Amino acid sequence: MELKQKRFSNNHSFTFNEDTLNFAFKDKSGSDDFDLQYADFPEKSSISIEQNEWLRNVGFLWCLLGAYRMGTAVYNDLSLSGTGFWFFLGIICLIWFAFTKVKYSVFKTEAGNVFVINDSNHDKIISEINKRKKAQLLKWYGDINIENELESEINKFKWLADQNVITKNEAEEKIAQVEFAFKSENNPNNQLN
């Protein structure tokens, strides 16, 4: 499965393989692509906004210049014809500035930063990653391993609950099963009763 995002010069591609996510991007600063395990995808993200500060600053400057010219024309009782030109250009720059703003959710991983553009696919991409992360963590850590120490197994299921992979109730059930399995392992007579 592959989902793509495009906003102006930003092209992002999310390829959902069985065990890994491939994130590829290309923008005006360059391109990159890397793979990461779903289990390594972080819970928390930050917000990044890409915007053209020059357009905003020029827009404000031209609006001020236009307002000054119109104000002096009114004050000096002169014709307003042509005095709003700079104000009009400033408004166009400010509208263009607002239109070209790109907002991202940024997930910092060891492989690199994953940028998800805030568009119609944003929630779908994050939901798919989280669904696959949960499945991968359950596959790796969801079963009881009596070869581990009791405390390690208990902590494992508490951690899975903290990661929202299993519910608190499911964690408690697994912990009870772990404790029972370890008692049975250490006292084989309990299995006969």
Side-chain angles (χ1 to χ4, degrees), residues 8-142:
F8 305 112
S9 65
N10 303 298
N11 291 295
H12 294 193
S13 173
F14 299 84
T15 305
F16 295 92
N17 301 311
E18 186 176 337
D19 294 324
T20 59
L21 168 71
N22 176 268
F23 172 63
F25 72 90
K26 183 177 180 182
D27 60 25
K28 57 188 169 198
S29 65
S31 64
D32 195 8
D33 112 57
F34 55 86
D35 295 316
L36 70 141
Q37 301 278 343
Y38 296 111
D40 295 334
F41 199 80
E43 286 290 314
K44 296 182 179 179
S45 67
S46 58
I47 302 294
S48 177
I49 299 174
E50 181 182 293
Q51 54 194 5
N52 189 332
E53 303 290 334
W54 181 86
L55 270 176
R56 184 193 64 191
N57 295 342
V58 167
F60 280 134
L61 179 67
W62 285 350
C63 282
L64 287 173
L65 179 62
Y68 172 77
R69 290 200 55 202
M70 288 188 292
T72 55
V74 167
Y75 181 75
N76 292 323
D77 204 22
L78 300 172
S79 169
L80 289 175
S81 178
T83 58
F85 175 75
W86 292 109
F87 186 80
F88 179 71
L89 279 180
I91 293 294
I92 289 174
C93 285
L94 291 175
I95 291 170
W96 188 251
F97 164 77
F99 180 71
T100 58
K101 188 184 295 188
V102 182
K103 188 176 179 182
Y104 304 95
S105 292
V106 182
F107 295 88
K108 296 178 181 174
T109 72
E110 288 184 21
N113 292 341
V114 177
F115 291 85
V116 184
I117 298 172
N118 197 351
D119 67 0
S120 60
N121 279 334
H122 177 271
D123 293 343
K124 185 176 181 180
I125 290 167
I126 294 172
S127 175
E128 185 66 26
I129 292 169
N130 287 332
K131 180 178 87 173
R132 289 172 183 253
K133 175 182 179 178
K134 180 178 178 177
Q136 191 169 62
L137 287 173
L138 277 174
K139 180 180 171 185
W140 289 354
Y141 306 114

